[in-house]
Amino acid sequence: MDTTVVESWKDFMELSSRFEGWAFRGQQDARWHLQSSLSRYLHAYVSDKDQWRSREARAIRIFRRKAHNHVPWPKLLHDDLRCLGLMQHHGAPTRLLDFTKSPFVAAFFALERATSDSAIFALNTPALYDDRARPRHAPWLTRDTIDPRVKGNMEKYFLGNDNEVVWFGEPEEMDGRLIAQSGTFVVPGVIDRPLHRILDGYESDEPLLRKIVLPVALRADAMKWLYRMNVTNASLFPDLDGLARSIAVEIEMVWPTQTLG
C-alpha cells in the first residue's frame, strides 16, 4: 500500500484532488489498520475464530428481534444492508466500514480527536465499480454478483466469512446521517484480516488503496479550514447529538477579534 506523508493542509488539499471518484476513511491514529468495529471487538474478546460466524449471526438476530420497538418502519430490518447500517450508526459492532466520498469529511473524522499522527485511507472505488479489479482467486465474484442489497447475498457471500471480497455502496434508502456525510459502506467478505490484506488478493493494474498520513502539527490549521467549510459534527450528524458533539470544536474556534464573554 502506497503511503504519503503530507507536510501541510494545503498539500493535503492538493493531493486529495487527484483521487477523483474515490472513497475515503479517516482514522485518528495512523498506526491503526482498516478493520471494522466487529473485527476489533472479536479480536479483543473472542479468541476462538471458529465462533465468529455464529457470534455475528446471533448479534444480527438479537438486534432484529428487539429493534422493531424503536424504529418507525420495522420492515427495513429485513433489508440486510440497511439493518447493518442501522446497527452501525447506533453503536453496534458490525462488519461495515464507514467511508465517505468527501476527503474533507474523512479529514474531519481523522483529526477531530487526534493527539498523534492520523491517517486517511483512499479506496479506488471506480476500479471496483467497473470490475477492473477482481479477486484473483475468484474473478467471477463481480460487484453485481456479490451485491449485498440482493436478498440472500449477504448470507451467501459475506456472513460465511469465506470469500475474500470487498463490496462498497449504499442501501437503496439512505438515512440522514449517510446523506449528510456523503457516506458509503465498505463490506468485507472476511473479518479476520484488515482491508488492505483482502485487497492484496485482487488482480488490478492500478493501486486500490492509498494511505495519507496527517502529522499532528497540521491539525490546528486543518480544523480551522474544516470549520470554515462547515464540516463539523453539527453538519455531519444533523440531530441534537451532533450539535452537542460540535461544541468541543467551538471551544477551539475563538478568533482573534472575539471576546470570551
Side-chain angles (χ1 to χ4, degrees), residues 228-250:
R228 294 186 183 114
M229 297 163 69
N230 195 34
V231 181
T232 70
N233 275 312
S235 61
L236 298 175
F237 299 90
D239 51 30
L240 186 59
D241 288 343
L243 174 60
R245 289 167 62 174
S246 74
I247 300 304
V249 173
E250 294 289 351

Side-chain angles (χ1 to χ4, degrees), residues 28-210:
Q28 72 179 58
D29 192 320
R31 296 168 295 181
W32 293 349
H33 288 311
L34 274 177
Q35 291 179 290
S36 69
S37 57
L38 179 63
S39 295
R40 293 195 301 270
Y41 197 92
L42 290 171
H43 273 292
Y45 301 112
V46 183
S47 58
D48 184 358
K49 290 185 179 180
D50 290 337
Q51 295 186 23
W52 285 13
R53 178 177 182 176
S54 62
R55 296 291 183 100
E56 180 182 19
R58 179 174 181 269
I60 296 171
R61 184 170 64 252
I62 290 174
F63 185 81
R64 280 180 163 147
R65 288 175 60 189
K66 299 180 178 182
H68 67 91
N69 292 294
H70 308 287
V71 296
W73 303 285
K75 286 185 178 180
L76 66 84
L77 297 171
H78 299 288
D79 179 320
D80 290 330
L81 187 59
R82 185 77 189 276
C83 179
L84 287 182
L86 192 63
M87 293 173 68
Q88 176 94 339
H89 283 168
H90 287 277
T94 79
R95 69 171 52 234
L96 303 182
L97 283 157
D98 289 314
F99 273 70
T100 171
K101 297 167 186 175
S102 167
F104 304 112
V105 171
F108 176 83
F109 286 126
L111 293 167
E112 180 199 7
R113 298 297 172 93
T115 56
S116 61
D117 293 353
S118 55
I120 293 173
F121 291 89
L123 179 66
N124 190 347
T125 45
L128 294 170
Y129 186 86
D130 294 336
D131 290 320
R132 300 196 304 271
R134 295 192 185 189
R136 190 176 293 109
H137 69 288
W140 57 89
L141 294 181
T142 65
R143 171 182 165 80
D144 287 343
T145 299
I146 65 174
D147 189 341
R149 296 172 299 188
V150 176
K151 188 173 181 60
N153 274 3
M154 184 70 79
E155 175 70 31
K156 184 176 181 180
Y157 296 110
F158 296 93
L159 299 185
N161 289 312
D162 49 17
N163 289 302
E164 296 182 32
V165 296
V166 173
W167 185 90
F168 81 93
E170 307 85 49
E172 295 293 345
E173 296 177 348
M174 299 169 61
D175 63 30
R177 287 187 178 184
L178 202 59
I179 295 169
Q181 296 169 17
S182 297
T184 190
F185 292 126
V186 170
V187 191
V190 294
I191 54 176
D192 63 343
R193 69 204 68 178
L195 191 65
H196 73 275
R197 293 298 183 197
I198 302 174
L199 292 172
D200 283 345
Y202 270 59
E203 191 74 46
S204 177
D205 294 329
E206 51 194 297
L208 296 181
L209 194 65
R210 292 283 302 273

